[in-house]
Amino acid sequence: MGDMFRSEKMALCQLFIQPEAAYASIAELGEKGCVQFRDLNEEVSAFQRKYVNEVRRCDDMERRLRYVESEMKKDEVKLPVLRPEEEPIAPNPREIVDLEAQLEKTDNELREMSANGASLDANFRHMQELKYVLENTEGFFSDQEVINLDVNRKLDPEDPANLPGAAQRGQLAFVAGVIKLERFFSFERMLWRISRGNIFLRRADIDGLVADEETGRPVLKTVFVAFFQGEQLKQRIKKVCTGYHAAVYPCPSSHAERKEMIKDVNVRLEDLKLVLSQSADHRSRVLNSASKHLPRWSIMVRKMKAIYHILNFFNPDVTGKCLIGEGWVPTNDISTVQDALARASKISESSIPAFMNVIETNEMPPTYTRTNKFTNGFQNLVDSYGMASYREVNPALYACITFPFLFAVMFGDLGHGLILLLFASWLIIKEKQLSSIKEEIFNIFFGGRYIIFLMGIFSIYTGFIYNDVFSKSMNIFGSAWHMNYTRDVVEDENLKYITLRPNDTVYKTYPFGMDPIWQLADNKIIFLNTFKMKLSIIVGVIHMIFGVSMSVVNFAYYKKYASIFLEFLPQVLFLLLLFGYMVFMMFFKWVVYNDTVEGPLSPACAPSILILFINMILQGSQDTPEPCKEFMFDGQKSIQQVFVVVAIICIPWMLLGKPLYIMIKRKTNGAPPPKPQSGGGEGHGEDDEMGEIFIHQAIHTIEYVLSTVSHTASYLRLWALSLAHAQLSEVLWNMVFSMGFKYDSYIGGILIYVFFGAWALLTVGILVLIEGLSAFLHTLRLHWVEFMSKFYEGAGYAFEPFAFKTILDVSEDD
Amino acid sequence: MGAAFFPVLFFTALWGGVGIAMPIMTPKGPHQNLIRCILMLTAACCWLFWLCCYMAQMNPLIGPKLKRDVVAMIGRSWNNPIVAG
């Protein structure tokens, strides 16, 4: 059997590699992605492994790369996106030294520039604040001129009347600085307290935002000047300024000196601007130069680190001349691995080629199913439920069709299916462009684009069968029903409804799909419900029989032939004799009962299959009026009794068959008389195991019998969701879009446009997206629980090969 | 009995072709068996679905219940004239 029917054969391989060729060998295997290495040094801690120093060097390089990348993000330098063909291979050890030196140089250069830049920025800020102080205090001092604040101004000896006051006022001192606006008010209150009100404080806000020295965030700041008397008060004020992180700046009291200082500060600011600009240019050049190489460097370092990580799994040979590694390899890929090893030996010019042995083992191999972009989505659905046991039958193969088909049975509408098809086609046609999008929800849709594509196609098909296009029908082949009433009857005002009878002799079944007349009928739901319920049970029972049959394939493969007779046979008999028989009754009723005859086969006498089935199980009966008969055909009662008896026999058959077989088999194998001591122990173990086996089989049997009943009922969701979907679609049409048809002239045209927009939005939003998701989840449950529980063990673990592609994808997600 | 031989034969032959003939003609390749399985399952599912719908309408036990204006409209539009008289 070919693709996907069961997981790949896996071989446990032992690799013998020369140490000098080891790096290149693992590099080649990483590109291929065919080997899942086993850690042969689990008991060795990470710090005691052979290549711990190399891993540390890679960590160091990664740290430098992250630093450079963060600096690029700060400066908004764009990194080029590597195309897959541009991706570099793992560097060889000689290239590693060069790469390390290059990274170190770039890293150091950037760090130095950052430190210098920070220093220059701080200087720049200080100069700016000083400038603000000098400019804003000009007003303060001009105001104070009249009180003769300037201590340098000589007193006029000719005016003796002012001498005492002038002398006293001349002793006023001041402190000028910059403080955050948010702190100014508490700062002001503190100054008042320490000086007991003997202080004069003036303030001027700095326009715009200034970068805060501590956090770098923009803040509002204000210039202040405090006038006071006495040296002691000056010391206190300076302490308060320090406590409030206010920057105090020297400020000459004379106007001329201030002018001179402002000029000097401006010159220095211009110089600093020039230096800052040149530094920024240089930094930009360095970052742009590094950005050309950074993606390649990142990939190279990651590959390097991954290689050394794998090499740490290896064991040195006792002679120290080669490294021994073990790993799982798909059998079909053994030649690929051998070719990779040969190529690596050639590259590293190793004298002795690496080689690989296949080891026999009883361990269960990992499960690996080879998929392509089409089957990958379906395989993911199955793996979400449980990873298949090794070489177990893979339900994903059949889910490729049964999944979209069951979805379509629920979702069936030609218009909605077309929407799904168009959306999926867009995803598939734009596959290459869209595959680079990293948004999570979009990726879920994109990963399932082939599932959506098939769901769309099958929904179109079931839309044809249901004859449902946005809740409207198409009349392609001509309705089977004829208007055999006269005009008088049709025009009779007293009649509200006219019911056509199927006993028309010219009635011919509508050949493909549902007759369009039912869309116009008021008893549409009654008719469609009987059809869809039967359809659900028919599809469901066949699906379950198919699932139970899969267990034969598993039993045959694992050579558990006894289970075919002891487990599969009673299971399938139970299912067929009860529910398969129910399906038969459905088809029989469709064929035999009709409206063209009188008597037992007329519609009035058609029995309810559900009641028949219940009476079959419970050995009940019901009275039927003449000329009707209780049973569909002669001898049905006897047949049903036989079926029920056999089905009941199947239950202990499932329950006891396998444990008894195992018990007998063990007794046969245990025929030689054991020693008394070991005999006792053996008996004890055997008793426990037999008890466990009986309990396990009892649970399994109960689960199967009960689940056969409940799963059959569970498939009725196919009818329920189909009904809900069709009715919602009809409600949208009747209550939204039809509203636009009720008006005339130009207003009518405008309203149709408006209502169509609303109807279209609701159709896509509710019927396609929400109803589609609902149908999807129900389909998923029908596969996981109703179908796969019949045969699927799902006790395996996934094959996770050492592959650079996987490692790089994971790194990108981080 | 409203069933006719032609539709049954036609659709059975159609899906039989998809499910039997096309798998036989599938060209050899790495995905030959996958394609065969897909064709057979598609044919089986679609044929079964069509068959159930067809059989459900072969001998309908109830007829459609229509409003009088619907009957008149059908008589006019569907080439299904009302009997005169």
Side-chain angles (χ1 to χ4, degrees):
Chain A
M1 190 62 72
D3 341 317
M4 281 183 78
F5 181 60
R6 53 178 89 253
S7 60
E8 300 265 330
K9 283 187 177 179
M10 307 294 291
L12 180 61
C13 296
Q14 203 173 40
L15 286 76
F16 297 85
I17 308 177
Q18 294 293 305
E20 61 268 18
Y23 183 90
S25 300
I26 303 302
E28 289 290 329
L29 295 178
E31 298 289 351
K32 296 298 174 191
C34 300
V35 186
Q36 173 178 311
F37 286 98
R38 307 209 301 175
D39 190 354
L40 302 183
N41 297 307
E42 282 179 3
E43 69 284 354
V44 180
S45 75
F47 300 101
Q48 294 173 320
R49 300 203 178 208
K50 184 181 174 69
Y51 292 94
V52 65
N53 286 331
E54 282 77 4
V55 174
R56 282 205 188 105
R57 283 169 67 194
C58 294
D59 275 338
D60 218 38
M61 280 189 264
E62 273 186 349
R63 181 178 53 76
R64 294 184 194 277
L65 283 167
R66 279 196 298 273
Y67 174 72
V68 173
E69 191 166 356
S70 69
E71 292 297 307
M72 287 178 184
K73 279 179 181 169
K74 282 183 193 173
D75 287 36
E76 295 178 357
V77 176
K78 290 201 188 307
L79 287 169
V81 179
L82 276 189
R83 288 194 297 274
E85 58 268 22
E86 293 175 327
E87 187 179 292
I89 60 172
N92 63 52
R94 286 182 296 278
E95 292 171 7
I96 294 171
V97 177
D98 293 342
L99 179 59
E100 206 169 16
Q102 183 94 37
L103 279 176
E104 188 169 356
K105 174 172 171 289
T106 304
D107 178 68
N108 289 341
E109 196 166 359
L110 282 176
R111 288 183 189 279
E112 193 172 326
M113 276 194 287
S114 288
N116 291 339
S119 173
L120 287 171
D121 282 340
N123 273 339
F124 189 76
R125 268 198 307 277
H126 288 153
M127 286 293 117
Q128 273 195 322
E129 287 185 354
L130 178 54
K131 181 179 172 182
Y132 289 135
V133 167
L134 293 174
E135 287 174 346
N136 283 282
T137 52
E138 187 65 26
F140 301 153
F141 286 114
S142 298
D143 292 346
Q144 298 303 315
E145 289 295 332
V146 297
I147 63 174
N148 199 19
L149 179 64
D150 194 341
V151 295
N152 293 329
R153 185 173 299 180
K154 293 181 179 178
L155 299 175
D156 187 356
E158 297 302 325
D159 191 356
N162 292 331
L163 185 59
Q168 185 173 7
R169 284 195 293 271
Q171 295 179 22
L172 286 179
F174 64 91
V175 169
V178 174
I179 191 173
K180 284 183 185 176
L181 182 58
E182 62 193 27
R183 290 178 175 169
F184 178 79
F185 304 102
S186 61
F187 176 70
E188 185 177 28
R189 282 195 301 272
M190 180 64 74
L191 289 182
W192 273 93
R193 283 197 201 102
I194 66 168
S195 63
R196 296 192 181 84
N198 292 319
I199 200 167
F200 184 62
L201 191 63
R202 295 292 297 275
R203 181 192 109 205
D205 293 336
I206 297 176
D207 292 334
L209 298 170
V210 184
D212 183 26
E213 195 163 327
E214 297 157 3
T215 65
R217 287 187 295 100
V219 294
L220 287 168
K221 288 194 170 182
T222 186
V223 174
F224 69 90
V225 177
F227 298 98
F228 55 88
Q229 277 184 333
E231 184 66 21
Q232 186 184 27
L233 200 52
K234 181 172 187 177
Q235 295 305 317
R236 290 187 191 169
I237 289 171
K238 288 201 168 178
K239 282 182 180 174
V240 171
C241 289
T242 304
Y244 275 83
H245 292 93
V248 175
Y249 291 100
C251 182
S253 55
S254 76
H255 176 74
E257 287 181 30
R258 286 199 298 275
K259 283 294 185 183
E260 193 66 25
M261 200 169 190
I262 285 176
K263 195 179 302 180
D264 186 44
V265 165
N266 279 333
V267 169
R268 289 166 69 181
L269 277 173
E270 289 301 320
D271 287 345
L272 279 173
K273 276 183 183 175
L274 187 62
V275 174
L276 281 170
S277 174
Q278 287 175 348
S279 295
D281 284 350
H282 181 52
R283 175 186 165 90
S284 181
R285 279 197 302 275
V286 170
L287 287 176
N288 274 291
S289 172
S291 74
K292 292 191 182 71
H293 304 291
L294 197 83
R296 285 174 49 89
W297 289 347
S298 290
I299 290 171
M300 289 162 77
V301 171
R302 281 185 196 133
K303 289 189 173 183
M304 201 190 313
K305 187 179 177 184
I307 290 167
Y308 284 120
H309 184 70
I310 292 295
L311 284 174
N312 279 334
F313 287 178
F314 278 55
N315 260 339
D317 181 68
V318 291
T319 66
K321 291 183 178 176
C322 68
L323 294 172
I324 303 174
E326 287 180 11
W328 294 103
V329 179
T331 303
N332 289 337
D333 290 337
I334 285 178
S335 60
T336 303
V337 173
Q338 283 167 342
D339 291 346
L341 292 177
R343 194 178 317 115
S345 296
K346 186 177 178 183
I347 288 171
S348 54
E349 300 167 7
S350 176
S351 55
I352 302 174
F355 63 95
M356 185 172 71
N357 283 341
V358 176
I359 307 172
E360 295 297 327
T361 178
N362 288 329
E363 290 183 41
M364 188 168 85
T367 298
Y368 173 52
T369 306
R370 209 181 294 266
T371 56
N372 52 39
K373 62 185 183 181
F374 172 78
T375 52
N376 188 56
F378 300 101
Q379 190 66 55
N380 282 340
L381 291 178
V382 169
D383 292 346
S384 296
Y385 176 76
M387 186 63 62
S389 300
Y390 177 61
R391 300 289 287 171
E392 186 178 19
V393 167
N394 184 13
L397 175 61
Y398 308 107
C400 287
I401 294 300
T402 58
F403 191 95
F405 175 71
L406 291 186
F407 172 89
V409 172
M410 293 185 252
F411 192 74
D413 183 302
L414 202 150
H416 301 155
L418 192 61
I419 293 174
L420 281 187
L421 179 65
L422 293 177
F423 174 66
S425 298
W426 174 68
L427 289 177
I428 291 169
I429 291 169
K430 297 281 188 179
E431 217 168 56
K432 285 190 163 62
Q433 294 95 314
L434 299 175
S435 65
S436 59
I437 294 177
K438 296 302 174 189
E439 207 270 325
E440 185 175 341
I441 292 178
F442 176 81
N443 268 330
I444 292 175
F445 282 102
F446 185 74
R449 62 196 179 280
Y450 287 100
I451 303 176
I452 300 172
F453 185 78
L454 286 190
M455 285 177 355
I457 293 181
F458 275 96
S459 294
I460 290 173
Y461 177 77
T462 56
F464 266 112
I465 298 290
Y466 287 150
N467 208 346
D468 196 332
V469 191
F470 300 116
S471 81
K472 294 301 173 186
S473 280
M474 303 176 289
N475 186 5
I476 299 176
F477 305 100
S479 173
W481 301 85
H482 284 79
M483 302 296 117
N484 53 356
Y485 289 97
T486 61
R487 182 176 302 272
D488 292 345
V489 174
V490 171
E491 292 173 356
D492 189 346
E493 293 293 336
N494 295 322
L495 277 181
K496 196 170 174 63
Y497 295 98
I498 293 175
T499 301
L500 307 185
R501 284 200 59 185
N503 61 355
D504 190 337
T505 54
V506 297
Y507 176 84
K508 292 300 175 201
T509 310
Y510 195 76
F512 187 72
M514 192 58 58
D515 196 301
I517 205 167
W518 289 107
Q519 195 64 257
L520 303 165
D522 285 274
N523 57 348
K524 170 181 75 170
I525 290 179
I526 295 173
F527 180 77
L528 289 184
N529 276 356
T530 64
F531 160 59
K532 289 179 177 178
M533 281 195 229
K534 290 187 174 70
L535 174 73
S536 301
I537 299 297
I538 291 166
V539 168
V541 169
I542 293 175
H543 200 210
M544 285 193 285
I545 292 171
F546 187 66
V548 174
S549 302
M550 285 290 106
S551 63
V552 179
V553 182
N554 273 340
F555 292 148
Y557 179 78
Y558 291 127
K559 295 181 168 53
K560 300 176 180 175
Y561 299 110
S563 288
I564 297 177
F565 180 77
L566 297 174
E567 289 194 76
F568 163 74
L569 194 52
Q571 283 177 5
V572 78
L573 277 178
F574 186 86
L575 186 54
L576 278 174
L577 295 181
L578 297 182
F579 298 96
Y581 176 68
M582 182 194 267
V583 168
F584 162 78
M585 283 197 282
M586 291 172 181
F587 279 105
F588 188 88
K589 184 177 173 181
W590 274 339
V591 172
V592 169
Y593 289 86
N594 61 83
D595 194 23
T596 59
V597 300
E598 296 293 334
L601 299 179
S602 63
C605 293
S608 165
I609 288 175
L610 182 60
I611 292 175
L612 260 181
F613 186 74
I614 291 173
N615 287 336
M616 168 186 170
I617 302 295
L618 301 181
Q619 297 296 307
S621 67
Q622 63 173 0
D623 297 331
T624 51
E626 289 294 331
C628 303
K629 296 181 178 178
E630 184 182 354
F631 295 103
M632 291 176 162
F633 51 89
D634 295 336
Q636 183 177 10
K637 186 177 176 113
S638 304
I639 288 179
Q640 290 184 167
Q641 285 171 348
V642 170
F643 283 179
V644 171
V645 168
V646 176
I648 290 175
I649 289 173
C650 289
I651 298 175
W653 186 350
M654 280 186 262
L655 180 64
L656 301 173
K658 187 176 179 182
L660 289 180
Y661 169 78
I662 293 174
M663 182 182 285
I664 292 171
K665 194 174 180 182
R666 288 185 178 183
K667 285 182 178 177
T668 305
N669 290 342
K675 296 178 181 178
Q677 183 178 358
S678 62
E682 182 180 351
H684 180 68
E686 191 170 8
D687 287 346
D688 280 355
E689 290 178 12
M690 284 311 301
E692 291 287 332
I693 289 171
F694 272 100
I695 291 172
H696 178 267
Q697 194 62 26
I699 292 170
H700 188 69
T701 301
I702 292 170
E703 183 186 3
Y704 181 82
V705 172
L706 293 182
S707 69
T708 302
V709 179
S710 65
H711 290 174
T712 302
S714 186
Y715 276 95
L716 286 171
R717 70 185 71 219
L718 294 172
W719 149 64
L721 267 90
S722 177
L723 173 64
H725 191 83
Q727 289 306 112
L728 272 175
S729 188
E730 187 167 346
V731 163
L732 266 191
W733 180 277
N734 288 338
M735 296 201 168
V736 178
F737 199 13
S738 291
M739 298 302 219
F741 301 152
K742 297 186 174 179
Y743 302 92
D744 292 329
S745 74
Y746 299 106
I747 293 182
I750 294 170
L751 285 177
I752 287 176
Y753 179 85
V754 171
F755 279 105
F756 171 79
W759 174 81
L761 274 179
L762 290 171
T763 294
V764 171
I766 294 178
L767 293 175
V768 175
L769 283 177
I770 295 180
E771 280 280 297
L773 178 61
S774 175
F776 179 91
L777 292 175
H778 283 285
T779 309
L780 196 58
R781 184 228 148 87
L782 287 180
H783 277 77
W784 280 358
V785 179
E786 272 71 33
F787 176 66
M788 283 158 61
S789 68
K790 295 292 182 287
F791 67 94
Y792 195 64
E793 205 176 293
Y797 63 103
F799 174 64
E800 292 170 352
F802 168 65
F804 289 143
K805 188 175 185 303
T806 306
I807 292 166
L808 295 175
D809 287 346
V810 170
S811 298
E812 279 183 5
D813 290 344
D814 291 343
Chain B
M1 171 66 70
F5 281 109
F6 178 75
V8 175
L9 286 179
F10 178 83
F11 285 105
T12 304
L14 173 70
W15 292 116
V18 171
I20 299 171
M22 286 178 70
I24 293 172
M25 295 187 295
T26 305
K28 285 196 184 308
H31 303 303
Q32 183 186 30
N33 290 310
L34 173 65
I35 293 169
R36 283 177 168 172
C37 186
I38 285 174
L39 290 171
M40 285 187 268
L41 273 175
T42 301
C45 291
C46 292
W47 178 79
L48 176 69
F49 195 64
W50 166 84
L51 179 73
C52 290
C53 187
Y54 190 81
M55 292 188 75
Q57 297 183 105
M58 275 185 347
N59 299 310
L61 302 183
I62 61 172
K65 180 182 175 185
L66 306 165
K67 294 184 170 71
R68 287 189 306 105
D69 48 355
V70 171
V71 173
M73 184 61 68
I74 289 173
R76 177 188 302 206
S77 301
W78 282 8
N79 194 27
N80 204 337
I82 299 169
V83 179

